[in-house]
Amino acid sequence: EISNVIELTEADQLAINAIGKNPDIIVNSAFIKPNYELNEQEYTLGVDCFASLADAIAAASSGDVIYVFAGTYADELTISVSYITIAGPNYNVHGNETRYSEANITGLTTISANNVNVNGLKFSGNGAIKVGGNNTTISHIHMSATQVACNGNNRKGCIVDSANISDLVVLNSKIDAPNNGSANSTFTNQFMSFSNVTNLTISGNYITNSGATTTSGSGNYAGMRIYTVGGKLNITNNEFRWATNGYVMY
């Protein structure tokens, strides 16, 4: 059967060039045809191309690169395969720079596997990230999701740990989370909240609470809440822009 040739946008071509190879799996919410062709490589619907990101992750093998085209993906995601990369149209584009149309994840993402790389996506709505695997790198994302609970102490964030983990890296991203309605006095509205991490790097990020809806009290927001960290703690070259009272780090 004749394959449908995918016409890449400038963003797609730049991203795939930066990745360095054709992706192993491609995802587009508009995929309905049996076969597609990308850069002369054939993809088969339900095998290595999917309309659902959750289905793509379920089909992935260790070492795969999953490329997600622009669109909105509402699935709740569980990443349980190690050594995979999930890349979007803004691969290696800083979260606070001018960006192309986004691959926007609006369902909760849980990373339970080790050595997972997430790069160039947007997370909004219920699309917080819970990290339970070691050696996770989250980079070049735009995060504006509602906060969820972390690994302990009744604290929340839009990027959190869900287990005791090691070697977590958050790089070159914009993090702008909305107020989740929690009481000021409990300091629950962090943007990143980690309870037990060994070796943590937070670098090159733009962190802002411009979406804040409350102004009373001093504890509405903390850019990062870090409860227990072992090994190396590397916090460098981050920019914080606060519209209301709160803590840069707590």
Side-chain angles (χ1 to χ4, degrees):
E1 187 169 348
I2 297 174
S3 296
N4 298 274
V5 178
I6 298 171
E7 294 186 9
L8 297 177
T9 66
E10 179 184 28
D12 296 326
Q13 192 64 69
L14 289 171
I16 292 170
N17 288 347
I19 292 168
K21 68 168 192 171
N22 275 355
D24 301 286
I25 296 174
I26 54 177
V27 184
N28 190 323
S29 57
F31 281 159
I32 57 172
K33 303 290 180 64
N35 300 288
Y36 290 88
E37 180 182 319
L38 185 156
N39 290 340
E40 300 184 349
Q41 180 171 329
E42 299 285 335
Y43 293 84
T44 302
L45 191 66
V47 177
D48 51 10
C49 73
F50 298 87
S52 160
L53 180 52
D55 290 345
I57 291 170
S61 300
S62 181
D64 279 352
V65 174
I66 300 173
Y67 185 75
V68 188
F69 288 93
T72 298
Y73 302 87
D75 303 331
E76 286 199 3
L77 307 175
T78 299
I79 303 171
S80 56
V81 179
S82 296
Y83 293 99
I84 67 169
T85 295
I86 302 178
N90 289 289
Y91 189 88
N92 283 355
V93 178
H94 193 285
N96 196 46
E97 292 180 358
T98 300
R99 287 167 68 90
Y100 297 100
S101 295
E102 298 276 6
N104 183 17
I105 313 303
T106 62
L108 177 67
T109 296
T110 301
I111 300 173
S112 58
N114 298 331
N115 300 289
V116 170
N117 180 19
V118 176
N119 187 321
L121 303 170
K122 181 178 180 179
F123 295 83
S124 66
N126 294 318
I129 301 175
K130 300 180 74 170
V131 182
N134 300 325
N135 298 297
T136 299
T137 298
I138 299 167
S139 69
H140 301 89
I141 70 167
H142 179 190
M143 168 61 76
S144 61
T146 300
Q147 293 95 331
V148 295
C150 73
N151 186 32
N153 302 291
N154 194 31
R155 300 301 192 258
K156 296 183 179 182
C158 52
I159 302 175
V160 303
D161 55 353
S162 61
N164 295 354
I165 60 174
S166 65
D167 300 290
L168 172 62
V169 178
V170 182
L171 292 177
N172 299 331
S173 297
K174 179 179 181 179
I175 303 170
D176 185 359
N179 180 26
N180 68 357
S182 299
N184 299 338
S185 60
T186 59
F187 303 103
T188 58
N189 290 330
Q190 285 74 227
F191 290 53
M192 290 179 281
S193 187
F194 307 112
S195 287
N196 203 319
V197 180
T198 301
N199 301 329
L200 174 64
T201 296
I202 308 291
S203 183
N205 302 289
Y206 181 91
I207 303 169
T208 173
N209 68 348
S210 62
T213 58
T214 60
T215 57
S216 61
S218 61
N220 290 322
Y221 287 88
M224 293 179 282
R225 180 199 167 276
I226 300 172
Y227 186 73
T228 302
V229 175
K232 295 180 179 179
L233 174 60
N234 180 20
I235 301 176
T236 56
N237 299 320
N238 299 285
E239 182 176 354
F240 293 84
R241 294 282 180 160
W242 251 218
T244 63
N245 293 330
Y247 296 99
V248 169
M249 186 165 67
Y250 178 74

